[in-house]
Amino acid sequence: MHLVLVARDAARLEAAAKRLRAEHGTQVSTLALDLSHQGAPSQLAQWLADAGTEVDVLVNNAGASLMGPVADSRPARLRGLVDLNADAVAELTALLLPAMVARRRGAIVNIASTGAYAPAPYVAAYAASKAFVLSFTQAVWAETRATGVRVVAVSPGPTDTAMNTRRVPGKRGPGSVADTVMSALRGRGPAVVDGRLNTFQAFVFGRLLPASAAARIAERSLRKAALED
Ligand SMILES: NC(=O)c1ccc[n+]([C@@H]2O[C@H](COP(=O)([O-])OP(=O)(O)OC[C@H]3O[C@@H](n4cnc5c(N)ncnc54)[C@H](OP(=O)(O)O)[C@@H]3O)[C@@H](O)[C@H]2O)c1
């Protein structure tokens, strides 16, 4: 598929584009944009329209995390996180979905997290923003089931990327998340968790345990990581 890559760092985007063009022979265009800024999703949609680009698959992957107690967090940083992780996902979905529905084909993949399934102390706003992504995507999935457009949330657990450099048991690679995205696109349901262990944990913390117990257990396990951060 031809690609449009969007992130803030223009040099890194261009390096990725160069590699993808050389390795896969695809057309790759890039746009350096801070998606947490107000109006950025509309700017992206306008840029695509001006270039005559029809989007077949939208992957809302850009995201940021913030670790530490909410009482010690800068309010503006919490807001920026929610603007990127939740608002931009909803806005881009709303901007690009109508054309897909009109064409009766296309797909939207929203990257959530296993943190979406239960409250997560010390990454409270991150987990809450991902709970938004999960719930929003499940609802849009139901709205669009008969339209020919596939809408799905994919939730990675701990994954070895720049966002998560801590040593965590059962950590997976980004390639496994990409494979899960591809199988989620071929599937039918509204939400998929990457990996069996992560799926089991999401089920236990999100469905079996009451939220109070899940939050207390997570608080104990995340406290050390939050203090070290
Ligand atoms: N790593 C994990 O353990 C883990 C677990 C569960 C879910 N996830 C989710 O997986 C997704 C990808 O994260 P990752 O682990 O690959 O993190 P990452 O290595 O930090 O990559 C984040 C990507 O988002 C872009 N980005 C960040 N802020 C942006 C902004 N304001 N505007 C536009 N682009 C922005 C970054 O590029 P620039 O910095 O150039 O903007 C980068 O390409 C995120 O949604 C994350 O929440 C990750």
Side-chain angles (χ1 to χ4, degrees):
M1 295 183 103
H2 302 318
L3 299 171
V4 176
L5 306 178
V6 182
R8 291 164 304 176
D9 187 326
R12 278 201 315 174
L13 276 175
E14 203 33 61
K18 206 170 156 190
R19 187 168 54 79
L20 288 161
R21 284 182 203 116
E23 285 175 13
H24 301 283
T26 51
Q27 286 175 26
V28 186
S29 38
T30 63
L31 178 66
L33 187 67
D34 188 331
L35 286 166
S36 70
H37 286 172
Q38 219 190 342
S42 307
Q43 207 181 316
L44 169 57
Q46 191 58 54
W47 182 82
L48 291 165
D50 291 348
T53 304
E54 265 185 10
V55 177
D56 293 317
V57 181
L58 165 66
V59 182
N60 278 310
N61 173 68
S65 178
L66 192 58
M67 185 163 253
V70 170
D72 295 347
S73 304
R74 292 221 315 272
R77 286 200 70 193
L78 284 189
R79 189 188 174 122
L81 180 146
V82 175
D83 288 346
L84 176 66
N85 290 7
D87 289 16
V89 171
E91 209 177 332
L92 279 169
T93 300
L95 282 161
L96 299 185
L97 183 59
M100 293 183 192
V101 171
R103 291 194 297 270
R104 299 197 66 77
R105 66 183 163 78
I108 298 183
V109 180
N110 290 333
I111 302 297
S113 163
T114 46
Y117 287 82
Y122 307 115
V123 278
Y126 175 76
S129 71
K130 294 299 185 176
F132 174 94
V133 172
L134 179 63
S135 169
F136 175 78
T137 309
Q138 287 168 323
V140 179
W141 168 84
E143 290 172 7
T144 53
R145 264 167 31 130
T147 65
V149 180
R150 173 95 179 104
V151 178
V152 64
V154 173
S155 289
T159 308
D160 196 12
T161 68
M163 180 185 283
N164 189 343
T165 51
R166 279 175 288 122
R167 249 195 263 163
V168 185
K171 201 175 194 187
R172 292 164 69 85
S176 85
V177 180
D179 289 344
T180 299
V181 167
M182 294 312 291
S183 69
L185 280 170
R186 288 189 290 268
R188 296 169 69 89
V192 176
V193 175
D194 176 50
R196 282 194 195 156
L197 181 63
N198 292 329
T199 304
F200 176 71
Q201 282 185 354
F203 175 73
V204 170
F205 277 81
R207 300 280 176 269
L208 280 188
L209 291 173
S212 56
R216 277 203 313 271
I217 295 168
E219 194 278 329
R220 275 198 297 275
S221 81
L222 288 167
R223 190 187 307 153
K224 192 164 168 273
L227 288 175
E228 281 168 1
D229 208 58

